[in-house]
Amino acid sequence: MEPEKRMDKRIRVDLNLEQNPISPFESLSEEVLFLILDLLNSNPLDRKSFSLVSRSFYKLESCHRRWLTPLRLDLLPSILTRYSSISHLNLTLCSRLTDVTLASIASLLSSSLRSINLSGSRSYTHKGIECLAEKCFNLEEIDVSIRVDLGDEVAAAIGKMVKMERVNMGRCKKVTDLGIGCIAAGCPNLKLLCVKGCVGVTDLGVKLVAVKCRKLQSLDVSFTMITKKCLPAIMQLPNLEEFCMTGCLGIDNKAFVNLKQGCNSLQALDMSNCEHMTDSGVLSILQKYPNLYHLNLASCSSVNVSILSGLKSMCKLGSIKLDGCKVTASGLKSLSNSCISLKELSLSKCPGVTDEGISVIMAKHKDLVKLDVTCCRYITDESLSAITSSCTSLVSLRMESCTKLSSEGFRLIGQHCPKLEELDLTDNDLDDEGLRSLASCHNLVSLKIGICLRITDNGLIPVGQSCPRLQELDLYRAIGITDKGVSAIADGCPHLEMINMAYCTNISDESLKFLSKCSKLCILEIRGCLQVSSVGISAIAAGCRLLSKLDVKKCCEVNDAAMFSLARYSHNLCQIHLSYCSVTDAGLLALACLGSLRNATMLHLSGVSPKGLATALLMCHGLTKVKMHSSFKSSIPRALIEHVESRGCSFHWMYKPFQVDFESSELWKQQSHDLFVE
Amino acid sequence: MKQIIGEPGIDLSSDSKMDLKLTRNSESFHKPNSSNHNLNSFNQASQYFPNLSPTNFLSRAENLQQNLKTKSTNSFEPNLNSGMATQNPPLDWDPHAMLSNLSFLEQKIHEVQSLVQSIIDQQAEFSSRPSELATRQQLATADLTCIIIQLISTAGSLLPSIKNTLLSNNPALRQLVNPDFNNNLKCEGLIRNFPETARNSEYEDLLRNLDNEADWMKEPNPLPQSDIVDANPIDEHDLKESDDGDAEREHLPPGSYIVLQLEKEEILAPHTHFCVICGKGFKRDANLRMHMRGHGDEYKTPAALAKPSKEPGSDVHPVTRYSCPFVGCKRNKEHKKFQPLKTILCVKNHYKRSHCDKSYTCSRCHAKKFSVIADLKTHEKHCGRDKWQCSCGTTFSRKDKLFGHVALFQGHTPALPMDEVKASGSGQGNDDMTEDLGGYNGNFASEECLTSMDVKGIDESRAYFSPMNFDGFGALDEFGRGGFDLEDNPFAFIPSGFGQRSGDS
């Protein structure tokens, strides 16, 4: 907000001198303009406006830009000629990235390119990477994750980049030790390596990395086959700060108990889902890593927290995740005794968490910043009073599905936690009174009050009035909310980026018109809002140019007109859910012209013919995932489907019967609770 | 008094078995001689043999018994105090007769063996004299028939007399029936000061069944323990404590274990397990047990077929180590820095590898030679298939070796398998790409096109739906939507129809 204002003022001043024969914009020095550009980061549209001011501004903006995230591949050549000094290129939104593209990128940007992100992009092979390795000799960061078909050749190509520092190869399932060995031997400056889910990687490769890349700071070997054999080598890395080994089933107690050497530099250790870890292993970890700050033990079901009583002081441990572990009141007591400087605590889905445990923790740890007690169904207002009375600096509080809490407890949150930024009260018994008191948390950025059936506009309006920083609002199935409440939100929260109003049946086009004022809105979910029509969607499309995800399932009034406006304005639209809408072939074809569209769900579109659907599929180049009704499978030519699939699109053929109407939210909640009780 | 701790029981059992086997070996060593016999002498031999052999046999058997007896009297006297003399069940068959029967069978089989061997050796001669061949074949058949008859009669006398209960309940006896070195002498880690009584009871049983004359058992032995050492005859089979054995490698202090030394012939013998009934040899105890089933139902019981397991108090087994018979070898007990071998198998492999000719040559490389056939097989599995290669050209048979090499040297990287490397040749890749360029969407057509392209988005105010959109998905009109749309009216145009040109609104 700040920089924009400043710029507006300057321009106004300049405009007063219109008589001056020289354009007023030319009088600004480059340095000043660069400074302005430095501050134009909050909204991508700002930079666009800037470059539209004049030719020189346009040129300056082109020179200044370092980061680029192209939406559409077909524009890449022109973009790259314009922005020749790009150093960080993010191609994650371009799904069909071929070797040719990579080769041209390499020759255009050559030495200026520092970082390239190819995560999830398809169609390129190791040849493209080799082009990068040849020409972009300053490349320091590369992300080739989520390419399950890429093998060791890609890793070998990366191994030729001598200056490489950060490599992400997550889920490149065909990469083996050989590839990792190439990277280890070829990139001596490596600081970050992620081989998450590379199932072919074993101890040998990881060991070689640990031997060769002594500057390594962050290592992620989650879901690989490593065992304790590679741990001693890893622990000798002098600079290792972050070590993640989620779901490494080969790691057990002995791995750490027998480890002679600890690692003084290690700060974050993630061993969630290591099912074979038990108490003694955790205990020896805590003893051997004196500087550990983050410890993640989520879903280590055999770890019992009470072992911590054996530790006198783990003074540095600041953040611990115990999701799904065995937690008892006494365990929490020993935890609070031994971990003196705890800042973040996650106890979600720990069935043993009770009021007593929470009170014990809260009595000791006054400066807790983050607390997660999701699905701790036994805690009551007593816990909340303990939390709020001691932890006044709480920033994040997540307590989804804590059904025993009452509005009195929520009032305490509003009174005592003014610094709260993230609050998750999904599926709680929240009412208007509670919500009103929450409005006094002026710093709220994310508020999730889905499945709180009792809240109405009376509660929401104060939130809109007093939480100007709100970016995320979840009102899923908050059936009491109407246009009035949404208008208050739209007025009071200009930074809103995400709003979920699914099944808020009282919402109409008016709400969307109000929301179109929130120019940063990018995720809109209005599934099942029967009153919403094309008028509202069109308003959103025109107002919220950054819209990237739209869910209008079962909004039966939404028709082609909405699609036309989306096609016209929403060039960032990546994902759309259109099932049950009144869209016809024309609307679909208009939508298909959106080059950015990657993900579409199109079930039960009564107005769409197989021909129209086929044409739309052909036109929409960027598609990566399409969900369609299986009845279309036979009516769309096989060759066409194969062609679209060869462009990198996967089809999900759904067989779901047409649902005429959906159950009311009360019934739905009752059903979900019954499910829990069972 | 280390020598006393040195197991008298083991001493005896292993010794007796060795004796038996040695006789068998010596028989087989005579083979060449017998094969040299001409037909006449052979015929004579076969005629007089039945008369002669029993005496031979008896004398040999007597020797053996004598041997056993002296050993046992020498070494087992101390055990008699434990009152085992009272529990000495009489057996209802004559072991003397049995032994002579068996020995006869053994000798007979060897005779047939040598006969057949001679047939093979003199095959060339026989081709000219077919009648002689026929005579010899008849002879062999007759001998075989004789053996079968003898075998059946022996088995008939033997089998019912051995009680199943004895077999299944008495491990010592079972060990005796299946002379299994590895099981008998398996070392069980470091054991010192094992309780003598428990240990001895086992050997009592062993002896009782081995030699049921057992007169010596009834008279207490006057010899004190210290005399045993002196009385122990020192022969080449004798086990002996190594005085200067340096067993630091496995952290066994010298003297805490027994050292056995097998003879060269025994080490090189193809079989180690012999059937007590028919004398057939086996490499594995399990095979022998399978074989034993054919000798009667009592060998088919689960107990008899089960792997001879150690008794619950198995820790009473003495720690046993082996010495190599090759004098001067570090593994020989006389060596100053003696390092004992752990098992019989170690002895065999060590002896073959270190002191025998390498007679097996690899059929792939014709260079590597081995004396142990298993080594050859292991080598042949991997010979010529060093598939792990380093960028420096060195190949490795194993991945971990390659990675160790790469870890050691700066600048070396693992090389991908050849086919992949060829495919990823970068120059070739570039050529491909320039060729591909033409087909790429029309926009990315070539480098020149790339550089000459300007962003004209601002000036373009073309129709949103240009007909090009429908001409084909390869030629979308891009400039109209170059990120700068100036249209503000959300309903600025509604397409009049698809596939036709729609004008600006």
Side-chain angles (χ1 to χ4, degrees):
Chain A
M1 217 43 207
E2 193 76 8
E4 280 171 59
K5 272 181 191 163
R6 213 185 296 159
M7 193 180 77
D8 288 346
K9 208 184 278 172
R10 181 64 62 86
I11 289 172
R12 225 170 287 129
V13 171
D14 287 336
L15 289 176
N16 290 336
L17 311 166
E18 256 175 24
Q19 290 81 8
N20 201 325
I22 314 161
S23 163
F25 302 113
E26 306 299 328
S27 59
L28 292 170
S29 73
E30 279 191 6
E31 286 76 13
V32 175
L33 289 173
F34 278 148
L35 276 177
I36 293 170
L37 278 169
D38 280 342
L39 297 166
L40 285 181
N41 290 322
S42 55
N43 189 338
L45 292 176
D46 295 346
R47 276 182 160 265
K48 190 170 161 186
S49 326
F50 181 93
S51 62
L52 289 177
V53 170
S54 74
R55 266 177 212 282
S56 59
F57 272 47
Y58 178 83
K59 227 175 247 171
L60 277 176
E61 204 267 334
S62 305
C63 299
H64 180 267
R65 189 185 274 272
R66 294 286 177 275
W67 298 77
L68 193 65
T69 310
L71 250 182
R72 287 166 49 190
L73 203 55
D74 35 22
L75 299 178
L76 200 61
S78 49
I79 290 173
L80 290 186
T81 14
R82 176 178 162 190
Y83 297 109
S84 52
S85 50
I86 291 293
S87 61
H88 302 269
L89 193 56
N90 184 344
L91 296 167
T92 45
L93 299 178
C94 306
S95 58
R96 277 179 55 238
L97 197 62
T98 60
D99 288 340
V100 189
T101 324
L102 280 182
S104 7
I105 290 170
S107 55
L108 280 175
L109 295 178
S110 62
S111 61
S112 66
L113 194 64
R114 293 282 162 84
S115 145
I116 189 163
N117 189 342
L118 306 168
S119 176
S121 301
R122 304 186 194 189
S123 308
Y124 70 90
T125 69
H126 59 100
K127 290 180 194 171
I129 308 289
E130 267 163 19
C131 287
L132 288 176
E134 254 175 50
K135 293 180 178 158
C136 306
F137 41 85
N138 282 326
L139 210 54
E140 286 166 0
E141 180 175 5
I142 192 163
D143 188 335
V144 290
S145 54
I146 328 184
R147 275 298 301 273
V148 283
D149 52 329
L150 283 189
D152 286 336
E153 303 99 316
V154 165
I158 294 173
K160 292 174 189 165
M161 305 172 184
V162 186
K163 291 192 178 174
M164 187 53 66
E165 286 178 5
R166 304 164 74 81
V167 176
N168 187 345
M169 310 196 66
R171 286 178 64 197
C172 292
K173 289 188 185 169
K174 287 194 179 166
V175 171
T176 67
D177 285 340
L178 277 188
I180 300 300
C182 289
I183 293 178
C187 311
N189 295 321
L190 204 63
K191 285 181 181 154
L192 178 145
L193 178 65
C194 172
V195 289
K196 188 176 184 172
C198 299
V199 284
V201 173
T202 68
D203 289 332
L204 279 179
V206 178
K207 240 196 224 165
L208 191 65
V209 168
V211 170
K212 287 279 183 183
C213 309
R214 303 298 289 173
K215 295 179 182 171
L216 208 63
Q217 290 173 353
S218 170
L219 181 62
D220 188 342
V221 290
S222 306
F223 303 105
T224 57
M225 298 296 163
I226 62 154
T227 66
K228 60 183 175 184
K229 280 183 198 161
C230 65
L231 283 184
I234 292 173
M235 291 311 154
Q236 282 172 7
L237 286 169
N239 301 313
L240 190 69
E241 287 169 7
E242 207 181 332
F243 185 35
C244 181
M245 44 181 191
T246 302
C248 288
L249 300 182
I251 297 286
D252 55 7
N253 280 338
K254 286 178 195 160
F256 284 97
V257 173
N258 296 338
L259 212 56
K260 279 179 192 145
Q261 194 179 0
C263 183
N264 283 331
S265 59
L266 198 68
Q267 288 174 5
L269 182 62
D270 184 346
M271 17 201 346
S272 47
N273 291 305
C274 287
E275 288 168 12
H276 299 138
M277 284 297 297
T278 61
D279 304 346
S280 53
V282 175
L283 202 61
S284 56
I285 286 172
L286 293 176
Q287 284 160 351
K288 278 165 188 163
Y289 305 105
N291 292 320
L292 207 60
Y293 183 81
H294 294 279
L295 180 62
N296 189 344
L297 294 171
S299 305
C300 295
S301 46
S302 30
V303 171
N304 194 335
V305 179
S306 48
I307 47 115
L308 290 169
S309 56
L311 287 170
K312 278 297 161 225
S313 64
M314 277 303 300
C315 43
K316 298 224 173 132
L317 200 65
S319 160
I320 186 163
K321 270 195 179 186
L322 297 165
D323 305 2
C325 291
K326 288 176 206 155
V327 170
T328 58
S330 61
L332 286 178
K333 189 173 184 183
S334 52
L335 177 75
S336 65
N337 283 333
S338 48
C339 306
I340 308 160
S341 52
L342 210 58
K343 290 266 194 293
E344 297 171 20
L345 178 63
S346 176
L347 297 168
S348 74
K349 295 167 202 152
C350 296
V353 174
T354 56
D355 284 342
E356 190 193 348
I358 295 286
S359 327
V360 165
I361 286 268
M362 292 310 143
K364 283 258 180 179
H365 298 282
K366 304 266 182 203
D367 44 5
L368 214 60
V369 173
K370 281 188 178 180
L371 181 64
D372 188 344
V373 286
T374 302
C375 293
C376 296
R377 293 174 193 265
Y378 303 108
I379 63 171
T380 66
D381 285 348
E382 207 180 304
S383 293
L384 262 187
S385 81
I387 292 170
T388 51
S389 60
S390 62
C391 304
T392 47
S393 52
L394 215 56
V395 168
S396 164
L397 179 59
R398 309 177 72 165
M399 36 205 316
E400 183 182 337
S401 296
C402 297
T403 36
K404 288 193 177 169
L405 301 179
S406 74
S407 61
E408 175 59 23
F410 301 124
R411 197 180 53 75
L412 289 172
I413 296 178
Q415 276 178 356
H416 297 288
C417 303
K419 293 183 178 172
L420 216 54
E421 290 180 8
E422 187 188 6
L423 183 57
D424 188 347
L425 295 174
T426 308
D427 195 15
N428 272 316
D429 199 21
L430 183 68
D431 59 3
D432 279 343
E433 200 190 329
L435 190 55
R436 253 202 305 274
S437 52
L438 289 178
S440 48
C441 304
H442 301 298
N443 292 315
L444 272 182
V445 172
S446 163
L447 178 61
K448 295 190 176 170
I449 44 176
I451 329 181
C452 296
L453 303 186
R454 289 167 64 194
I455 55 170
T456 66
D457 290 342
N458 294 334
L460 193 61
I461 290 172
V463 172
Q465 285 166 346
S466 55
C467 301
R469 295 178 58 199
L470 204 63
Q471 292 177 5
E472 259 183 75
L473 182 59
D474 188 347
L475 298 168
Y476 180 79
R477 283 191 195 264
I479 42 173
I481 303 296
T482 69
D483 293 340
K484 227 169 127 189
V486 178
S487 85
I489 293 291
D491 283 336
C493 312
H495 296 291
L496 201 66
E497 289 176 8
M498 187 284 265
I499 186 163
N500 185 345
M501 301 186 292
Y503 301 106
C504 295
T505 39
N506 296 319
I507 298 293
S508 75
D509 285 339
E510 291 304 307
S511 289
L512 297 188
K513 280 179 188 166
F514 290 128
L515 283 175
S516 65
K517 279 185 275 187
C518 303
S519 60
K520 292 182 178 173
L521 194 70
C522 55
I523 300 175
L524 177 63
E525 285 194 44
I526 44 173
R527 179 183 292 206
C529 296
L530 299 172
Q531 297 182 38
V532 168
S533 74
S534 291
V535 181
I537 302 293
S538 301
I540 288 284
C544 311
R545 296 295 184 86
L546 298 175
L547 194 69
S548 67
K549 286 184 189 172
L550 180 63
D551 187 342
V552 288
K553 181 183 175 185
K554 291 185 180 170
C555 297
C556 307
E557 300 293 311
V558 172
N559 56 26
D560 289 348
M563 297 305 117
F564 296 145
S565 357
L566 286 175
R568 185 165 185 75
Y569 295 111
S570 304
H571 295 300
N572 289 302
L573 193 66
C574 292
Q575 188 177 333
I576 192 164
H577 196 136
L578 278 177
S579 306
Y580 295 95
C581 290
S582 315
V583 176
T584 67
D585 287 354
L588 209 56
L589 288 176
L591 199 65
C593 293
L594 277 177
S596 58
L597 197 64
R598 287 184 293 153
N599 201 333
T601 307
M602 303 177 283
L603 292 160
H604 303 299
L605 297 177
S606 47
V608 171
S609 70
K611 251 186 188 171
L613 202 56
T615 322
L617 287 175
L618 274 181
M619 283 171 60
C620 206
H621 281 277
L623 278 181
T624 56
K625 187 175 164 188
V626 180
K627 275 190 190 175
M628 290 196 297
H629 199 269
S630 50
S631 61
F632 280 111
K633 196 172 180 179
S634 51
S635 44
I636 295 178
R638 184 74 214 146
L640 189 141
I641 291 173
E642 279 167 7
H643 170 72
V644 175
E645 275 175 341
S646 73
R647 293 193 313 204
C649 178
S650 64
F651 284 91
H652 295 241
W653 301 100
M654 314 298 285
Y655 184 75
K656 280 185 186 169
F658 187 85
Q659 260 183 311
V660 181
D661 45 21
F662 48 93
E663 66 270 29
S664 74
S665 287
E666 287 91 350
L667 193 65
W668 179 85
K669 182 166 180 172
Q670 192 53 50
Q671 281 172 354
S672 66
H673 277 239
D674 291 348
L675 210 66
F676 166 68
V677 170
E678 278 167 20
Chain B
M1 288 268 86
K2 288 171 203 163
Q3 268 100 343
I4 296 165
I5 300 174
E7 253 324 285
I10 281 293
D11 180 349
L12 174 69
S13 60
S14 60
D15 244 25
S16 58
K17 266 176 269 167
M18 280 177 203
D19 273 357
L20 278 168
K21 253 188 274 171
L22 272 182
T23 50
R24 196 175 291 119
N25 282 335
S26 61
E27 289 282 337
S28 60
F29 287 136
H30 292 151
K31 251 189 250 169
N33 298 335
S34 55
S35 67
N36 286 339
H37 289 177
N38 62 29
L39 183 63
N40 287 338
S41 64
F42 200 84
N43 266 339
Q44 282 174 355
S46 65
Q47 277 160 7
Y48 68 70
F49 189 66
N51 305 326
L52 187 66
S53 58
T55 55
N56 271 347
F57 255 73
L58 277 176
S59 61
R60 259 163 33 87
E62 270 167 19
N63 279 342
L64 200 120
Q65 294 288 340
Q66 204 60 40
N67 195 2
L68 284 177
K69 226 192 290 178
T70 50
K71 288 276 172 57
S72 42
T73 42
N74 279 341
S75 49
F76 259 69
E77 252 57 33
N79 305 335
L80 295 177
N81 307 338
S82 51
M84 44 164 299
T86 54
Q87 30 166 296
N88 184 23
L91 296 174
D92 54 358
W93 54 281
D94 182 12
H96 273 293
M98 180 59 60
L99 198 57
S100 61
N101 274 343
L102 289 175
S103 306
F104 168 70
L105 268 174
E106 198 182 6
Q107 198 133 357
K108 195 75 184 165
I109 286 169
H110 285 302
E111 290 292 337
V112 183
Q113 251 182 340
S114 50
L115 176 62
V116 177
Q117 185 66 46
S118 71
I119 295 175
I120 295 168
D121 290 344
Q122 302 169 11
Q123 236 163 5
E125 297 172 37
F126 286 137
S127 59
S128 56
R129 291 174 290 171
S131 59
E132 273 186 29
L133 178 66
T135 329
R136 286 207 184 186
Q137 276 171 347
Q138 276 176 359
L139 204 60
T141 321
D143 275 352
L144 279 171
T145 320
C146 171
I147 288 170
I148 291 165
I149 291 166
Q150 183 70 31
L151 186 67
I152 289 168
S153 68
T154 312
S157 70
L158 174 75
L159 298 184
S161 60
I162 297 183
K163 304 273 187 308
N164 276 338
T165 50
L166 259 179
L167 256 184
S168 51
N169 295 341
N170 192 338
L173 178 62
R174 222 168 45 226
Q175 279 169 357
L176 181 71
V177 172
N178 306 339
D180 177 359
F181 276 87
N182 291 334
N183 280 317
N184 258 352
L185 306 176
K186 197 165 272 175
C187 41
E188 286 295 314
L190 174 67
I191 302 155
R192 265 183 280 178
N193 303 328
F194 32 80
E196 285 215 7
T197 49
R199 190 186 71 222
N200 287 339
S201 65
E202 216 174 282
Y203 302 119
E204 286 162 23
D205 288 346
L206 177 80
L207 280 168
R208 208 185 316 139
N209 297 307
L210 182 76
D211 187 347
N212 74 341
E213 288 183 355
D215 314 23
W216 50 273
M217 284 183 174
K218 283 163 186 148
E219 353 170 318
N221 188 4
L223 284 177
Q225 283 197 329
S226 57
D227 293 336
I228 296 172
V229 183
D230 304 328
N232 223 355
I234 298 171
D235 61 25
E236 54 192 3
H237 302 295
D238 206 6
L239 50 95
K240 222 175 108 183
E241 286 292 316
S242 72
D243 300 318
D244 51 353
D246 179 21
E248 267 175 14
R249 282 219 178 159
E250 37 175 348
H251 308 291
L252 275 181
S256 65
Y257 55 89
I258 305 159
V259 175
L260 284 176
Q261 182 170 295
L262 305 182
E263 261 317 289
K264 178 188 161 196
E265 290 77 17
E266 189 154 15
I267 289 169
L268 296 177
H271 299 139
T272 46
H273 304 276
F274 293 93
C275 173
V276 287
I277 296 170
C278 65
K280 188 173 179 189
F282 296 92
K283 277 184 185 166
R284 291 166 202 272
D285 178 45
N287 292 348
L288 172 64
R289 271 178 281 136
M290 288 296 115
H291 162 84
M292 290 307 280
R293 292 181 306 173
H295 285 305
D297 282 340
E298 63 265 51
Y299 296 108
K300 289 177 183 170
T301 60
L305 284 171
K307 193 178 179 184
S309 60
K310 281 144 248 145
E311 282 293 275
S314 61
D315 53 349
V316 299
H317 279 294
V319 183
T320 316
R321 290 292 179 271
Y322 298 89
S323 155
C324 168
F326 194 91
V327 179
C329 172
K330 201 176 184 182
R331 301 296 198 171
N332 183 271
K333 58 190 172 185
E334 310 295 341
H335 195 277
K336 268 187 187 171
K337 291 180 178 176
F338 171 55
Q339 283 174 359
L341 292 153
K342 262 192 176 176
T343 64
I344 296 270
L345 200 67
C346 294
V347 177
K348 288 187 163 196
N349 283 338
H350 160 78
Y351 193 83
K352 283 185 196 167
R353 283 176 184 142
S354 311
H355 311 302
C356 289
D357 288 338
K358 294 183 174 180
S359 47
Y360 303 109
T361 314
C362 172
S363 58
R364 286 172 189 258
C365 61
H366 301 288
K368 280 251 179 191
K369 289 185 175 182
F370 302 91
S371 48
V372 177
I373 198 150
D375 293 353
L376 172 73
K377 281 179 181 168
T378 313
H379 165 80
E380 278 186 336
K381 255 183 214 168
H382 304 288
C383 182
R385 294 202 313 181
D386 285 353
K387 56 176 185 168
W388 303 104
Q389 196 175 3
C390 176
S391 57
C392 68
T394 322
T395 56
F396 300 87
S397 57
R398 282 164 52 181
K399 189 160 77 166
D400 53 339
K401 302 284 178 202
L402 167 65
F403 276 69
H405 168 86
V406 170
L408 205 59
F409 296 102
Q410 207 64 42
H412 291 211
T413 59
L416 301 184
M418 277 315 283
D419 42 343
E420 289 175 33
V421 172
K422 232 179 253 174
S424 65
S426 54
Q428 194 188 345
N430 278 343
D431 292 346
D432 289 350
M433 277 168 209
T434 42
E435 281 166 25
D436 287 349
L437 284 170
Y440 182 74
N441 255 7
N443 272 341
F444 235 139
S446 68
E447 297 279 336
E448 295 149 31
C449 182
L450 278 181
T451 47
S452 67
M453 204 173 286
D454 281 331
V455 178
K456 301 173 193 164
I458 302 164
D459 307 321
E460 298 282 344
S461 55
R462 289 214 204 166
Y464 199 72
F465 283 98
S466 95
M468 288 176 74
N469 285 350
F470 301 96
D471 287 343
F473 39 90
L476 278 174
D477 184 6
E478 308 304 346
F479 297 114
R481 293 175 289 147
F484 304 99
D485 45 54
L486 300 170
E487 312 263 8
D488 280 322
N489 182 0
F491 298 104
F493 68 91
I494 301 289
S496 55
F498 294 99
Q500 297 167 9
R501 186 175 182 100
S502 57
D504 294 359
S505 58

